[in-house]
Amino acid sequence: MDGSLASIGAGLGQTSYAQGIRDAFQYLLSTHSNCFAIGQGLWSPWYVGATMDDLDKEFGKDRVIDTPVSELACTGAALGASLCGYRPVVIHPRMDFMLMATDQIVNQAAKWAHMLGGRTSPAITIRAIINRGGEQGAQHSQALHAWFAHIPGLRVVMPATAADARDLLIASVMCDEPVLYIDNRWLYERSDHLGDITELRLEDQGPRVLRKGDDITLVGSGYATWLCEQAADELATQGVSAEVVDLRVINPIDHGLVIASVTRTGRILAVDDGWQNCGLAGEILAAVAEAIEPSSFKSRPSRLTLPDAPAPTSKPLEALYYPTVADVVTRALSVMR
Amino acid sequence: MDGSLASIGAGLGQTSYAQGIRDAFQYLLSTHSNCFAIGQGLWSPWYVGATMDDLDKEFGKDRVIDTPVSELACTGAALGASLCGYRPVVIHPRMDFMLMATDQIVNQAAKWAHMLGGRTSPAITIRAIINRGGEQGAQHSQALHAWFAHIPGLRVVMPATAADARDLLIASVMCDEPVLYIDNRWLYERSDHLGDITELRLEDQGPRVLRKGDDITLVGSGYATWLCEQAADELATQGVSAEVVDLRVINPIDHGLVIASVTRTGRILAVDDGWQNCGLAGEILAAVAEAIEPSSFKSRPSRLTLPDAPAPTSKPLEALYYPTVADVVTRALSVMR
Amino acid sequence: MASGRDTTVKGLQAKLGNLAESEYFTPPATKPAGPENDAEYAVKGLDSLADPAFHNAPLDITDWPHDRLRGFLHRMLTIRAVEERLGELVESGDVVCPVHLAIGQEAIPVAVSHHLTPADRVFGAHRSHGHYLALGGDIYQLFAEVLGRADGCSRGMGGSMHLFAPEVGFMGSVPIVAATVPVAVGAALAAKMDKGDAVAVSYFGDGAAEEGVVHESLNLASQMNLPVLFVCENNLYASHMDISQRQPSDSTARFAQANGIPHAVIDGNDVAGTARVAGEMITAARNGGGPSYLEAVTYRWRGHVGPDENTDVGIRRSTAEIAAWKRRDPVARLVAAMTSRGDMSGNEPGAMADAIRDHVDDCAARALEAPYPENSALMDLVYAGSPTPASGGR
Amino acid sequence: MASGRDTTVKGLQAKLGNLAESEYFTPPATKPAGPENDAEYAVKGLDSLADPAFHNAPLDITDWPHDRLRGFLHRMLTIRAVEERLGELVESGDVVCPVHLAIGQEAIPVAVSHHLTPADRVFGAHRSHGHYLALGGDIYQLFAEVLGRADGCSRGMGGSMHLFAPEVGFMGSVPIVAATVPVAVGAALAAKMDKGDAVAVSYFGDGAAEEGVVHESLNLASQMNLPVLFVCENNLYASHMDISQRQPSDSTARFAQANGIPHAVIDGNDVAGTARVAGEMITAARNGGGPSYLEAVTYRWRGHVGPDENTDVGIRRSTAEIAAWKRRDPVARLVAAMTSRGDMSGNEPGAMADAIRDHVDDCAARALEAPYPENSALMDLVYAGSPTPASGGR
Ligand SMILES: Cc1ncc(C[n+]2csc(CCOP(=O)(O)OP(=O)(O)O)c2C)c(N)n1
Ligand SMILES: Cc1ncc(C[n+]2csc(CCOP(=O)(O)OP(=O)(O)O)c2C)c(N)n1
Ligand SMILES: [Mg+2]
Ligand SMILES: [Mg+2]
């Protein structure tokens, strides 16, 4: 398992992904009086990692609100506040728990603007944390980003870097539409030099090339992007020049950059740490297959995903379950033949 | 819109899709004393179309149970009964309402066997009805089969024909695992000559070729299969020989037949009346692209889906929203070039 | 009332008085289960409020000035006329979308809305024409919406079940049962954060009370002391199901009680009485008193959806039951009271109704001629804040 | 009791006695909101049951025979020894999966399980070692499960939060809060359909009561008169949150009251008293009396997850509070009562505890040596009834 990113921990002047999230909250709560945070664990020293430490003390328990164990009502309440001029972030410490709130996310937030003729603005941000590994098992390990990317009207954002963790959270909250912002605890130690905060327009954000390369295009989002980056480094030592595309925003999805890259490399491996059937990796492959002439492919497109099984708890099975950098390298080499 | 199938209504000795469902319930309740039905609308003359008419009178309100407006608890209760030797069918008259029960379907039913070491059998069948059109709008029109096909441990079944409506329902209920059975009201009038009932093993069921053809493979499930069949008839008149594959079971999904067909035809159009991003049509294209050498494709794979928008209500927009037979024909012709 | 209610555990306990004498105090508080001892576990029911043989006399309108009552009557007649016209349009096939009529239930939103301003935030559900119209929502825009026209209050994108009129404080209705209840709680949270005196109102039905989210919402509102009025329009049915087929009591106020929320169970076909109680509750909310729960008992004359009477469902619904409830008509009872007090002459109500119907017919006729939305609305409104290309389709 | 309870609306109303005198009877039942009148909306609280200064005397064991109490003590000591050992294994790093300890709460499942047979259907949640062990669940298999070994009660596929032992009636525990509550209701529905006398038991916490599904489940169980015992282990915390930060009252039995379900609020650290009340409720359920709700007040000595005490959370949790609660120790109070009645000599309890600890240590040691599941389990168990190829992965 690749649970630890200690190897790329914070150097001098670097900011971690977790700290980036906290910086974003700090910025939003300081500069936007209509922003508030609500969710389970916000008054806890350990519930949401280090991403919200002491924000309740800094900004008051009226703006950093911990809640009863009522995911559905709390999400609905955040939606209601967003319709009245606020920019709430509702936090679900595990995506699995957020399934209790499916109705408010999928039937409500995603649809209110469209079905009310665009006259209302559900400017709610829903923060879902992927919190897996550690033998937590099937109900505490899910990465269901593909699910939510399937829902029109819901923007879905998956930061892979510390900079994006901060900047895309701010962009999500400043966006007038409902956004699902998904962070992954396996990335919390990942660090970067971060520039000053500027408010990005989320609607202008899309996929980005993180490593240039000519032989194969590796596509990921969130933690899978990190896997691709590490794999690209390893592949380079083996003489394979891999381009890495980080999707960043998976709904609405803009396939242009990936298509352009594969048009050039002729090879694609989509990596996803979600499930395969009707998942995100399949979406990428389908889009590429639809857009590029068969004759331009140098080999068959490929995808590497979780096995289609619930997360196990037992140590050896857990190790078997999660894709690793080595798995990405091996698969990329097989795409290269 | 293709809401009406009156053109292929019941002829002499034919059984409709809706009647096929009712026949399945009749059979199950008569021959299996541990089977029962529970859900909203079961004591109503109009709630679930004609698929359950008077079953409560025939088998008693103890075995055909109407419920409070509590989707989550009722689904959980069906799961609980299934763990104690029963074979319940829990009915959700609209898939949209079923989202209230997401936790019990996705976190519970789909995972109990795996996470309890295979020692328990959640032999629950969840029946979700796709009930769309008629200007019902965004919260009363969803077809979220791709969502549930994404969940390991949950078998997902989508009958397209009257025979399958009956036989796959029986197979679902007799299966020892959780099954989501999805029927579509737009198919209720579709009719067939049905043979005698034999209990099929659901785990042996998979895709089926409904029309043989050589030029292009059309793939669908549920109502999309019917679109493909009608389109194939029309294409035949234009000299195009289309093969139609009906997926029938979309999780776990067996791509073998589609791959074999496209290997032969060299062309594929996947049709789905669900959304595109991370949807079922993309899954089909991805599987085909992964499995077949680029050089074997005669043209780019293609998919035709709902636009990625919530369902509108207004008449002209609704007409624009749902794919029609003509759309399938047009797209297939463009794949043919 | 300045300090608001004390909703802490200690505060609530203090209100209980002498807990030492309570059965809850001395453990083990052995309470044998069984019919002999059931009385102590019983929950209250509606009793005569659910029985149309009672509460059908003219209203007690003492203290209500003439013009206020005329206003109530005008709004109730408007709702009824609009809904009757909508029923006709369903029958004629002009209206296709599902239409849930609240004929017979007009008094409740009229009474509640009397105390509201456009700064308040009102949420409805599938049966919300009355909620919208009682606030003064535009009649023409309602017809246009139900007909799917671009002039509709939701630009023709929602139909009957998705109404929106922020200019009068109507912040949205949607047909997923109970979905707007937590949304209204959030609007109340926003109001509290605003530090103004706006309130939120959540309309829902007796069936909605079976959805877990209502209970989560009651707890949240109580715990956070939010300015929200829960209005349960208890019409004894959820679609085809009689309340006795769904709940062990026919009164839902017990859920407010369980959450420490002030509540009242009233005759929802008495516009004056309903307005009196709603007014006290809304005033309390404006003054920091937190949530209240108003259970207003009523009855829908038509079936669950469409103009049909649905006499084929439930366990007691019948032509006779409907006829009995028509004798508890909220409109007729107000008219009777006003006429007998001399507020109105014999033919005034009829004339008022005629004028309203003329106006309503005119709105409907114009709406039938209104244009549909542009095709581009389908994709442009998915990300309404900033049109962004979406995928799929042809 | 032969005929069961009458749970119809009419039946419940009949139990209310003279409804004509009730405030619910005569509308408009104007109930002004505001602090002056809050008493009538107040909900009951736990009062002294939540205060560790009370209820820490030796138990009242009159009527309980010696060997029954010895059995209780043995089970409680077993639970405590197993959980303490598990805490050590967490600290040593041998156990990785999340482990929620119920040390201090042992009396409740021991008392409830006393009345159960393997034909009954018990469901737990994330903190369920005690529920499993109190039924006689195998100790070695529990350690093996927590360690992810193939000999585990769930074949090593679930860890601490997913236990299963149908041979003793334990039908499953999972960590999604409140998820097993409706599942237990369904098991009760199955029991009722079986027409036997089995009952279902649903253990859940005070935090779970905030999930809407619990309220849906209470309604369903009440409406269908199902043989289910709801056991709310109220330990005053949900993770880091004190109950007063989450609910307007610290007693959850008000939700049972709202659903017409017989209920009791008791000292959950009194094994004898808890067993008495649980017995009456279970007997009622077996005899067609339907659901009951037992709120057992207790306290967990350790933090939310793992062996730490979590004195850094909530609003009153502290070393002092924990020490005070340890004086309401369910084990020590039983031992004190038995010793003072002469049921046990001074060193007997210690000897019993030593023997138990030896056995527990032995089980743990064996489990540490047990093999992990085969790799094939990962995919073979997805469709356990009939292995079917699944996709994905490498
Ligand atoms: C979540 C959900 N479940 C079921 C339905 C179907 N449904 C529509 S209205 C209704 C009954 C609601 O009853 P009630 O809340 O009493 O409102 P009323 O219709 O009586 O005004 C039901 C079950 C739905 N729309 N949403
Ligand atoms: C649906 C869901 N939401 C949140 C959580 C996180 N969580 C785990 S245990 C817990 C607290 C439960 O409190 P309570 O029900 O009182 O049980 P206790 O831990 O006190 O035994 C929470 C919030 C979860 N597991 N599932
Ligand atoms: Mg109703
Ligand atoms: Mg607790």
Side-chain angles (χ1 to χ4, degrees):
Chain A
M1 264 189 356
D2 289 287
S4 158
L5 297 177
S7 55
I8 49 162
L12 216 59
Q14 293 209 319
T15 304
S16 71
Y17 186 103
Q19 182 64 33
I21 294 175
R22 195 187 179 288
D23 288 353
F25 277 114
Q26 166 109 37
Y27 171 83
L28 289 161
L29 291 164
S30 312
T31 55
H32 295 280
S33 62
N34 63 347
C35 174
F36 70 92
I38 182 168
Q40 279 173 54
L42 305 201
W43 301 341
S44 146
W46 23 260
Y47 224 97
V48 288
T51 63
M52 302 193 73
D53 275 355
D54 290 334
L55 288 173
D56 57 327
K57 287 168 196 118
E58 198 171 333
F59 295 99
K61 287 184 157 45
D62 288 343
R63 292 185 67 207
V64 179
I65 306 171
D66 208 324
T67 74
V69 194
S70 308
E71 289 82 6
L72 184 52
C74 292
T75 306
L79 174 60
S82 82
L83 300 174
C84 299
Y86 285 82
R87 294 191 176 274
V89 187
V90 57
I91 289 112
H92 295 285
R94 271 196 188 79
M95 203 172 223
D96 317 68
F97 308 162
M98 191 178 74
L99 295 194
M100 312 298 295
T102 307
D103 173 62
Q104 286 294 326
I105 300 170
V106 171
N107 283 335
Q108 311 308 329
K111 297 178 173 52
W112 272 56
H114 193 266
M115 72 194 173
L116 298 178
R119 297 188 68 201
T120 185
S121 241
I124 180 182
T125 299
I126 303 143
R127 177 181 168 208
I129 305 181
I130 298 174
N131 182 355
R132 65 204 328 190
E135 304 187 13
Q136 296 179 88
Q139 296 185 334
H140 279 55
S141 304
Q142 288 170 95
L144 288 164
H145 44 281
W147 253 39
F148 295 95
H150 188 57
I151 303 302
L154 185 67
R155 293 182 185 274
V156 181
V157 170
M158 289 187 84
T161 67
D164 272 356
R166 185 191 69 183
D167 298 339
L168 291 184
L169 178 54
I170 296 171
S172 297
V173 174
M174 298 318 296
C175 176
D176 286 338
E177 290 139 21
V179 181
L180 178 65
Y181 169 98
I182 303 173
D183 55 295
N184 188 320
R185 286 182 80 142
W186 282 358
L187 291 168
Y188 280 12
E189 325 261 287
R190 173 167 200 178
S191 295
D192 265 324
H193 281 286
L194 263 53
D196 287 344
I197 288 175
T198 48
E199 288 187 12
L200 304 173
R201 278 170 42 91
L202 184 61
E203 43 279 33
D204 298 335
Q205 305 307 308
R208 213 181 250 172
V209 173
L210 293 190
R211 295 259 198 302
K212 290 239 156 243
D214 300 316
D215 297 332
I216 182 170
T217 305
L218 305 180
V219 183
S221 68
Y223 179 71
T225 294
W226 183 84
L227 289 175
C228 291
E229 290 177 76
Q230 304 307 303
D233 290 349
E234 172 60 28
L235 287 165
T237 69
Q238 304 194 32
V240 174
S241 164
E243 179 140 311
V244 175
V245 178
D246 177 24
L247 293 172
R248 300 175 77 235
V249 177
I250 63 169
N251 197 47
I253 192 159
D254 177 356
H255 289 299
L257 190 68
V258 172
I259 290 168
S261 174
V262 178
T263 302
R264 208 163 37 73
T265 63
R267 298 186 188 89
I268 178 169
L269 171 58
V271 181
D272 188 26
D273 58 342
W275 287 307
Q276 179 168 110
N277 192 11
C278 298
L280 179 60
E283 172 63 27
I284 303 301
L285 262 49
V288 161
E290 275 194 304
I292 301 178
E293 285 304 322
S295 58
S296 302
F297 283 99
K298 298 185 182 132
S299 68
R300 283 180 278 135
S302 188
R303 53 180 164 170
L304 180 64
T305 66
L306 281 192
D308 282 347
T313 48
S314 190
K315 187 195 184 101
L317 299 187
E318 210 179 40
L320 198 65
Y321 187 67
Y322 293 107
T324 63
V325 172
D327 294 326
V328 178
V329 170
T330 306
R331 179 66 72 85
L333 290 174
S334 91
V335 174
M336 296 300 304
R337 318 227 170 157
Chain B
M1 262 187 0
D2 289 286
S4 159
L5 296 177
S7 54
I8 47 164
L12 217 60
Q14 294 209 322
T15 304
S16 72
Y17 186 102
Q19 182 64 35
I21 294 175
R22 196 188 178 289
D23 287 352
F25 276 114
Q26 166 110 37
Y27 171 82
L28 288 162
L29 291 164
S30 312
T31 55
H32 294 282
S33 62
N34 63 346
C35 175
F36 70 93
I38 181 169
Q40 280 173 54
L42 305 201
W43 301 342
S44 146
W46 23 260
Y47 223 98
V48 288
T51 62
M52 303 192 74
D53 275 355
D54 291 333
L55 288 172
D56 58 326
K57 286 165 199 123
E58 195 170 336
F59 296 98
K61 287 183 156 45
D62 288 343
R63 291 185 68 205
V64 178
I65 306 170
D66 208 322
T67 73
V69 195
S70 307
E71 290 82 4
L72 185 52
C74 293
T75 306
L79 174 60
S82 82
L83 301 173
C84 299
Y86 285 82
R87 295 191 175 272
V89 186
V90 57
I91 289 115
H92 296 285
R94 270 196 189 79
M95 203 173 223
D96 317 68
F97 309 160
M98 191 178 75
L99 295 193
M100 312 298 296
T102 308
D103 174 62
Q104 287 292 328
I105 300 170
V106 171
N107 283 336
Q108 312 308 330
K111 296 177 173 54
W112 272 57
H114 193 267
M115 73 194 171
L116 299 178
R119 298 188 67 200
T120 185
S121 242
I124 180 182
T125 299
I126 302 142
R127 177 182 168 209
I129 304 181
I130 298 174
N131 183 354
R132 64 201 332 188
E135 305 188 12
Q136 299 180 86
Q139 298 186 333
H140 280 55
S141 305
Q142 288 170 97
L144 287 164
H145 44 280
W147 253 39
F148 294 96
H150 188 57
I151 303 302
L154 185 67
R155 293 183 187 273
V156 181
V157 171
M158 288 185 86
T161 65
D164 272 357
R166 184 190 71 184
D167 297 340
L168 291 183
L169 178 54
I170 295 171
S172 297
V173 175
M174 298 318 296
C175 176
D176 286 338
E177 290 139 21
V179 181
L180 178 66
Y181 169 98
I182 303 173
D183 56 292
N184 188 320
R185 286 181 79 140
W186 282 358
L187 291 168
Y188 280 12
E189 324 264 287
R190 176 169 197 172
S191 296
D192 265 326
H193 280 286
L194 263 55
D196 287 345
I197 289 175
T198 47
E199 288 187 13
L200 303 173
R201 279 170 42 91
L202 184 61
E203 44 278 31
D204 298 335
Q205 305 308 309
R208 213 182 250 174
V209 174
L210 293 191
R211 296 259 196 303
K212 290 241 155 240
D214 300 317
D215 298 331
I216 183 171
T217 305
L218 305 181
V219 183
S221 67
Y223 179 71
T225 293
W226 182 83
L227 289 176
C228 292
E229 290 176 76
Q230 304 307 302
D233 290 347
E234 171 61 27
L235 287 165
T237 69
Q238 305 195 28
V240 174
S241 162
E243 179 141 311
V244 175
V245 178
D246 176 25
L247 293 171
R248 301 176 75 234
V249 178
I250 64 169
N251 197 46
I253 191 160
D254 178 356
H255 290 300
L257 189 67
V258 172
I259 291 168
S261 173
V262 178
T263 303
R264 206 159 42 71
T265 63
R267 298 188 189 87
I268 178 168
L269 170 59
V271 181
D272 188 26
D273 59 342
W275 288 308
Q276 178 168 111
N277 193 11
C278 297
L280 179 60
E283 171 63 28
I284 302 301
L285 262 49
V288 161
E290 275 195 304
I292 301 178
E293 285 305 322
S295 58
S296 303
F297 283 97
K298 299 187 182 129
S299 69
R300 283 180 275 134
S302 188
R303 53 180 163 169
L304 179 65
T305 66
L306 280 192
D308 282 347
T313 49
S314 190
K315 187 194 185 101
L317 300 186
E318 209 179 42
L320 200 64
Y321 188 66
Y322 294 107
T324 62
V325 172
D327 294 326
V328 178
V329 170
T330 307
R331 180 66 72 82
L333 290 174
S334 92
V335 173
M336 295 300 303
R337 315 223 173 158
Chain C
M1 181 103 36
S3 67
R5 288 187 294 141
D6 180 355
T7 55
T8 62
V9 170
K10 281 263 164 297
L12 283 167
Q13 285 176 357
K15 291 171 210 155
L16 285 176
N18 193 351
L19 252 177
E21 282 166 30
S22 147
E23 62 204 356
Y24 282 81
F25 186 77
T26 323
T30 308
K31 297 185 194 173
E36 316 79 50
N37 300 286
D38 270 358
E40 64 182 300
Y41 309 116
V43 291
K44 290 176 177 175
L46 295 177
D47 207 75
S48 83
L49 278 177
D51 185 343
F54 296 85
H55 314 293
N56 47 28
L59 305 184
D60 173 4
I61 54 172
T62 331
D63 299 340
W64 287 99
H66 173 197
D67 53 347
R68 189 77 74 229
L69 296 175
R70 269 189 91 87
F72 287 170
L73 182 61
H74 196 277
R75 283 272 152 95
M76 288 199 287
L77 286 172
T78 301
I79 297 172
R80 185 161 298 179
V82 167
E83 294 218 298
E84 282 176 345
R85 188 79 190 88
L86 283 171
E88 291 163 14
L89 290 170
V90 170
E91 278 168 345
S92 67
D94 290 293
V95 162
V96 173
C97 76
V99 167
H100 301 80
L101 301 175
I103 296 171
Q105 307 188 173
E106 299 89 348
I108 302 164
V110 167
V112 171
S113 302
H114 171 56
H115 305 285
L116 301 175
T117 79
D120 296 319
R121 302 100 199 261
V122 180
F123 294 86
H126 55 289
R127 197 181 303 285
S128 278
H129 305 145
H131 307 148
Y132 165 103
L133 292 169
L135 286 164
D138 187 84
I139 298 171
Y140 166 70
Q141 287 187 36
L142 177 62
F143 278 106
E145 188 55 45
V146 176
L147 288 160
R149 311 302 167 112
D151 281 349
C153 61
S154 301
R155 305 287 182 255
M157 296 300 288
S160 159
M161 307 196 291
H162 305 96
L163 306 178
F164 190 63
E167 63 281 3
V168 294
F170 194 72
M171 296 298 285
S173 63
V174 302
I176 291 287
V177 167
T180 51
V181 179
V183 175
V185 168
L189 173 60
K192 187 176 179 185
M193 288 179 164
D194 285 343
K195 300 202 196 325
D197 66 355
V199 301
V201 174
S202 172
Y203 289 108
F204 59 97
D206 49 299
E210 293 148 21
E211 289 285 3
V213 72
V214 168
H215 304 267
E216 295 183 5
S217 299
L218 292 173
N219 179 51
L220 210 58
S222 177
Q223 175 68 15
M224 300 181 83
N225 199 40
L226 302 178
V228 54
L229 175 62
F230 298 99
V231 182
C232 179
E233 296 176 306
N234 185 344
N235 59 13
L236 310 174
Y237 286 88
S239 139
H240 58 294
M241 293 278 278
D242 192 290
I243 192 165
S244 69
Q245 297 174 303
R246 300 176 281 115
Q247 299 181 33
S249 157
D250 60 0
S251 172
T252 67
R254 55 206 157 91
F255 301 127
Q257 167 73 29
N259 285 287
I261 295 178
H263 52 280
V265 184
I266 58 163
D267 171 9
N269 287 12
D270 171 355
V271 70
T274 303
R276 187 157 41 230
V277 182
E280 286 164 7
M281 290 177 161
I282 290 169
T283 302
R286 292 203 198 287
N287 292 325
S292 299
Y293 188 104
L294 181 61
E295 177 165 18
V297 182
T298 187
Y299 191 84
R300 54 168 162 71
W301 295 5
R302 305 300 179 95
H304 172 59
V305 58
D308 185 81
E309 288 185 338
N310 282 184
T311 48
D312 52 349
V313 305
I315 48 180
R316 54 183 154 165
R317 196 169 177 97
S318 61
T319 309
E321 198 198 35
I322 295 169
W325 274 96
K326 285 187 176 172
R327 289 192 287 275
R328 203 192 275 180
D329 179 2
V331 173
R333 285 165 70 205
L334 175 59
V335 167
M338 289 179 75
T339 320
S340 92
R341 194 171 72 176
D343 283 357
M344 281 186 139
S345 69
N347 58 355
E348 257 183 293
M352 187 191 273
D354 287 345
I356 288 170
R357 258 196 307 269
D358 284 349
H359 178 55
V360 164
D361 285 348
D362 177 58
C363 290
R366 280 195 294 138
L368 280 163
E369 300 305 318
Y372 289 109
E374 302 288 330
N375 279 352
S376 58
L378 178 61
M379 301 312 285
D380 286 353
L381 293 175
V382 181
Y383 301 98
S386 50
T388 302
S391 43
R394 268 137 287 172
Chain D
M1 181 104 37
S3 66
R5 287 187 296 140
D6 180 356
T7 55
T8 60
V9 169
K10 280 266 165 293
L12 282 167
Q13 287 177 355
K15 292 172 207 154
L16 287 175
N18 193 352
L19 253 178
E21 280 166 32
S22 149
E23 62 203 358
Y24 282 81
F25 185 78
T26 322
T30 308
K31 298 186 191 170
E36 318 78 50
N37 299 289
D38 271 357
E40 64 181 300
Y41 309 116
V43 293
K44 290 175 177 177
L46 296 177
D47 208 76
S48 82
L49 278 176
D51 183 344
F54 296 83
H55 314 293
N56 47 29
L59 305 183
D60 173 5
I61 54 173
T62 331
D63 299 339
W64 287 97
H66 171 196
D67 53 346
R68 191 75 75 229
L69 296 175
R70 268 189 91 89
F72 286 171
L73 182 61
H74 196 276
R75 283 270 154 97
M76 287 200 286
L77 286 172
T78 300
I79 296 172
R80 186 161 297 180
V82 167
E83 293 218 299
E84 282 176 345
R85 188 81 189 87
L86 283 171
E88 290 163 15
L89 290 170
V90 170
E91 277 167 346
S92 67
D94 289 294
V95 162
V96 174
C97 77
V99 167
H100 301 80
L101 301 175
I103 296 172
Q105 307 188 173
E106 298 88 348
I108 302 163
V110 167
V112 170
S113 302
H114 171 57
H115 305 285
L116 300 175
T117 79
D120 296 319
R121 302 100 199 260
V122 181
F123 294 86
H126 56 289
R127 196 180 304 285
S128 279
H129 305 146
H131 307 148
Y132 166 103
L133 292 168
L135 286 165
D138 187 84
I139 299 171
Y140 165 71
Q141 286 187 38
L142 177 62
F143 278 107
E145 188 56 45
V146 177
L147 288 159
R149 311 303 167 110
D151 282 349
C153 61
S154 302
R155 305 286 181 256
M157 296 302 286
S160 160
M161 305 195 293
H162 304 96
L163 307 178
F164 190 63
E167 63 282 2
V168 295
F170 193 72
M171 296 298 286
S173 63
V174 302
I176 291 288
V177 167
T180 51
V181 178
V183 176
V185 169
L189 173 60
K192 188 177 178 183
M193 288 179 164
D194 286 343
K195 300 201 195 329
D197 66 355
V199 301
V201 175
S202 172
Y203 289 109
F204 60 95
D206 50 299
E210 294 149 18
E211 290 286 4
V213 72
V214 168
H215 304 267
E216 296 183 5
S217 300
L218 292 173
N219 180 51
L220 209 58
S222 177
Q223 176 68 16
M224 300 182 82
N225 199 41
L226 301 178
V228 53
L229 176 62
F230 298 99
V231 182
C232 180
E233 297 177 305
N234 185 344
N235 59 13
L236 311 174
Y237 287 88
S239 135
H240 58 294
M241 293 280 277
D242 192 290
I243 192 166
S244 70
Q245 297 174 301
R246 301 177 280 113
Q247 298 182 33
S249 157
D250 59 2
S251 172
T252 68
R254 56 205 156 93
F255 301 127
Q257 167 73 29
N259 285 287
I261 295 178
H263 52 279
V265 185
I266 58 163
D267 172 8
N269 287 12
D270 171 355
V271 71
T274 304
R276 186 155 41 228
V277 182
E280 286 165 5
M281 290 177 160
I282 290 169
T283 302
R286 292 202 198 288
N287 292 326
S292 299
Y293 188 104
L294 181 61
E295 177 165 18
V297 182
T298 186
Y299 192 83
R300 54 168 161 70
W301 295 5
R302 304 301 179 95
H304 172 59
V305 57
D308 185 81
E309 288 184 338
N310 282 184
T311 50
D312 52 350
V313 304
I315 49 180
R316 54 183 155 166
R317 195 166 176 99
S318 62
T319 310
E321 197 198 36
I322 295 169
W325 273 96
K326 285 187 175 171
R327 288 192 288 276
R328 204 192 276 180
D329 180 1
V331 174
R333 284 165 72 204
L334 175 59
V335 168
M338 290 179 74
T339 321
S340 93
R341 192 170 74 177
D343 282 355
M344 280 186 140
S345 70
N347 58 358
E348 256 183 294
M352 188 191 276
D354 287 346
I356 287 169
R357 258 196 306 270
D358 284 350
H359 176 57
V360 163
D361 285 348
D362 176 58
C363 290
R366 280 195 295 137
L368 280 162
E369 301 305 319
Y372 288 109
E374 302 288 330
N375 279 353
S376 56
L378 178 61
M379 300 312 286
D380 286 352
L381 294 175
V382 180
Y383 301 97
S386 50
T388 302
S391 45
R394 271 137 284 172

